[in-house]
Amino acid sequence: MDNLKKVGLTALAGSLAAVSANAAEMSVSGATLLTYTSEDGTEVTGNPFGMKTNLSFTASGDVNGMTVSYMQASKDQFAGMSSARLSIDMGDMGTLAFDQGSGSGLATIDDKTPTAAEEIWDGLDGVTTGGLVGAAGNTGVFNYIKSFGGVTFNGAARKGSGAANSDGSSSGAGQSAWDFALTGSGDMLGVDGLSWGVGYGEAENGSFAVTTGDEHDEEHMTAFVNYAMGPVTIGYQEAHINKGTVGSADETTQAFGIAFNVSDDLSISYGEREVEYSNPSADDVTEDGEGIAIAYTMGSMKIAGNKNEVSDNDNSAGSNDEMTEIAVSFAF
């Protein structure tokens, strides 16, 4: 493995030197994850055992007095780039970045309830977007980050669709968007162990071909607060998505979680989540979900497990789902 790192870094460093005389530091890290997954009785699990390998390259260097850094992550047996980020640290002026999937703006606080492993909606059907905020998304967005007075501003803006062409430019129709998140701690209030965040964003709906009724920009908003007391952390979060298209269901989410660090190596958590779908031409549906997680770390090895279940899933009354996963990961 050491030889592989040396060969890869030598080749990358050689390519970098060919286009720039400035010194740059490059590193590579990764992890291999072995999983066992069990779905509910109505689904075909197939082979429950799986494995994926994540590899991340990072590089940074000085360009005209500013620190420029690049990150690229690949996963799923190196099938392709899953995320990338180019950042310019401008010192007191903040950090400007172009994000292609690493996480920016409102999406960075879409679910901040404490958990020992995965979120309580992870692995369930149809909830990859249900109740989760993030108007601008994470693909093809400009990201600006600046801290002031103990508060961090994280803003994102996208021109056109969030879907990407092969060259990374926008594909698909319209829907430019922007959003932001403000996060801070209780230090400014004299409350140790407190962390909080709020955020808002809008996505244009002008290209959605609405022919009847009123249309407006889609609005995303959320707020969370977490409080740590020794080994215990409790948290609560609310979110709302006001859909802009006629016939779409607005989404209001309430969630809480509690995590307990049994020791430096072992932690457990429990959480619940409700997503109310306000249907304009049918009865409202409230999705109820809960999950429990546990994680144990031994050096670079980690064993984690979580069991999540949901009823009235994804605005579908009577649709239930559950998922159990056990994962063993090795970092390198």
Side-chain angles (χ1 to χ4, degrees):
M1 188 61 217
D2 289 339
N3 290 334
L4 177 60
K5 287 183 180 179
K6 291 177 181 177
V7 172
L9 290 173
T10 300
L12 288 167
S15 300
L16 197 63
V19 298
S20 175
N22 294 311
E25 296 182 359
M26 180 165 285
S27 62
V28 59
S29 61
T32 295
L33 185 70
L34 305 176
T35 61
Y36 172 83
T37 304
S38 175
E39 304 286 355
D40 65 38
T42 65
E43 298 179 87
V44 178
T45 301
N47 185 351
F49 295 96
M51 180 181 74
K52 67 178 180 179
T53 300
N54 301 332
L55 193 63
S56 177
F57 295 90
T58 57
S60 64
D62 183 85
V63 178
N64 298 326
M66 296 182 293
T67 301
V68 177
S69 58
Y70 175 75
M71 180 280 296
Q72 177 178 324
S74 302
K75 64 179 182 179
D76 299 332
Q77 284 65 257
F78 316 115
M81 182 186 74
S82 60
S83 61
R85 182 180 182 87
L86 178 65
S87 303
I88 302 175
D89 187 343
M90 302 178 292
D92 293 339
M93 295 175 61
T95 299
L96 180 64
F98 188 76
D99 185 7
Q100 198 76 347
S102 67
S104 298
L106 190 60
T108 61
I109 60 169
D110 62 355
D111 185 351
K112 297 294 288 183
T113 53
T115 179
E118 301 291 351
E119 297 90 346
I120 64 173
W121 44 263
D122 183 73
L124 298 174
D125 294 339
V127 293
T128 55
T129 57
L132 298 180
V133 293
N138 296 318
T139 302
V141 302
F142 285 96
N143 179 215
Y144 178 71
I145 302 173
K146 168 69 173 174
S147 295
F148 52 93
V151 177
T152 298
F153 172 87
N154 190 324
R158 185 188 73 230
K159 179 65 174 177
S161 169
N165 290 311
S166 58
D167 63 356
S169 61
S170 176
S171 65
Q175 208 191 18
S176 297
W178 61 268
D179 60 36
F180 69 89
L182 295 172
T183 55
S185 67
D187 294 343
M188 57 190 303
L189 304 174
V191 182
D192 294 335
L194 179 70
S195 60
W196 58 269
V198 296
Y200 178 83
E202 294 184 2
E204 293 179 355
N205 273 334
S207 63
F208 283 2
V210 177
T211 57
T212 59
D214 296 326
E215 68 170 89
H216 56 80
D217 290 346
E218 183 172 295
E219 297 177 299
H220 291 233
M221 59 199 78
T222 191
F224 77 88
V225 60
N226 290 338
Y227 183 60
M229 302 170 291
V232 179
T233 301
I234 58 175
Y236 178 78
Q237 183 159 2
E238 289 193 3
H240 181 69
I241 301 176
N242 186 7
K243 299 287 188 176
T245 54
V246 173
S248 297
D250 295 344
E251 302 170 15
T252 300
T253 302
Q254 296 178 323
F256 81 88
I258 180 170
F260 175 53
N261 294 324
V262 181
S263 67
D264 291 340
D265 303 317
L266 177 64
S267 59
I268 59 175
S269 65
Y270 173 79
E272 293 185 4
R273 178 176 182 259
E274 279 189 358
V275 183
E276 181 181 354
Y277 293 89
S278 300
N279 294 304
S281 58
D283 293 337
D284 293 348
V285 175
T286 299
E287 172 189 300
D288 290 299
E290 62 179 346
I292 186 170
I294 185 171
Y296 183 70
T297 303
M298 296 174 289
S300 62
M301 178 181 176
K302 181 178 180 179
I303 303 174
N306 60 286
K307 180 178 177 59
N308 298 335
E309 57 185 42
V310 65
S311 61
D312 296 334
N313 187 36
D314 197 28
N315 198 19
S316 179
S319 175
N320 303 326
D321 191 30
E322 64 181 44
M323 187 277 295
T324 301
E325 181 179 82
I326 300 173
V328 182
S329 61
F330 301 88
F332 56 88

